[in-house]
Amino acid sequence: MAINRMRQDRVTDNGYEAHRLTVAVDAPYDDFRQRYEQAVPRLRRWRLVLQVARKANWSAVTSLTNASAPHGFLRYWSSDVKPLMSLAGVPTPCSSYLMGNHIVAEEMFRHNPTVMVYVPMQTVITVDSDGGTTFSIEQPSRALATFGSPDIASVGVELDRKVAALLQHLGAPVPPSLLAS
């Protein structure tokens, strides 16, 4: 019992209000998904593994990342959700992603490694009940502000702007809240 009591004393519970942004996109699902995947290329993990094995300096990792992420983001993971959900009788097109940039993440990680709960960021491209394509993401600055660190919060605002620039590149509307901070 003493162990349970000690662990409870070390628990922090930081509640916050999430701000999910859902953007209606003027493009067919497959077209927008393809453009997103081109703009946010898949992380080539083997390249990072080589950098770690070589004990490369951070500037080499930064150069490689910047060359690989033309719009500031890489795809760390993706899933076409439709095949599995179709088995339950719900054949809605839906793709889920983890999108981020480890160079940007490091700017926060040095202050609090727990930021990795929110980076990379989860995004979803799907079709809504009216048949329109949507893109959804939790607003980075809102989630990252919960750490109470001005250094982390400023990177959250930077991420908001990077997401806004990505949406603009993709021809999608930019939520005003991404530019408000």
Side-chain angles (χ1 to χ4, degrees):
M1 286 243 190
I3 292 173
N4 286 338
R5 190 173 23 246
M6 182 172 41
R7 287 185 182 158
Q8 289 174 350
D9 292 343
R10 295 177 14 183
V11 172
T12 56
D13 185 344
N14 297 324
Y16 74 99
E17 183 178 321
H19 287 264
R20 182 179 56 249
L21 303 172
T22 298
V23 177
V25 177
D26 248 351
Y29 168 83
D30 286 328
D31 177 57
F32 187 77
R33 182 180 50 84
Q34 181 180 20
R35 287 188 289 136
Y36 173 83
E37 290 180 1
Q38 287 174 349
V40 181
R42 183 172 51 90
L43 171 70
R44 307 286 187 216
R45 292 186 202 292
W46 63 270
R47 291 180 178 171
L48 290 180
V49 169
L50 283 176
Q51 297 293 319
V52 170
R54 292 179 185 154
K55 297 186 185 323
N57 61 35
W58 192 244
S59 65
V61 174
T62 299
S63 295
L64 175 65
T65 302
N66 289 338
S68 302
H71 299 284
F73 295 111
L74 295 165
R75 276 183 291 126
Y76 290 83
W77 173 86
S78 62
S79 177
D80 180 359
V81 181
K82 180 181 174 179
L84 179 60
M85 294 302 154
S86 292
L87 299 176
V90 187
T92 304
C94 183
S95 295
S96 182
Y97 304 92
L98 290 179
M99 169 185 90
N101 182 317
H102 39 277
I103 304 305
V104 175
E106 185 280 328
E107 294 174 31
M108 298 177 287
F109 184 87
R110 71 177 78 158
H111 300 287
N112 188 336
T114 310
V115 299
M116 301 309 285
V117 167
Y118 299 110
V119 293
M121 302 167 288
Q122 187 166 7
T123 64
V124 172
I125 299 170
T126 191
V127 173
D128 65 17
S129 59
D130 295 328
T133 303
T134 63
F135 172 85
S136 296
I137 186 170
E138 184 173 347
Q139 185 171 352
S141 64
R142 298 292 183 106
L144 294 166
T146 65
F147 288 92
S149 162
D151 295 314
I152 293 172
S154 69
V155 177
V157 171
E158 176 188 341
L159 283 169
D160 281 1
R161 293 196 176 108
K162 286 181 179 289
V163 170
L166 175 64
L167 289 169
Q168 187 173 29
H169 168 76
L170 294 171
V174 175
S177 61
L178 289 176
L179 303 170
S181 307

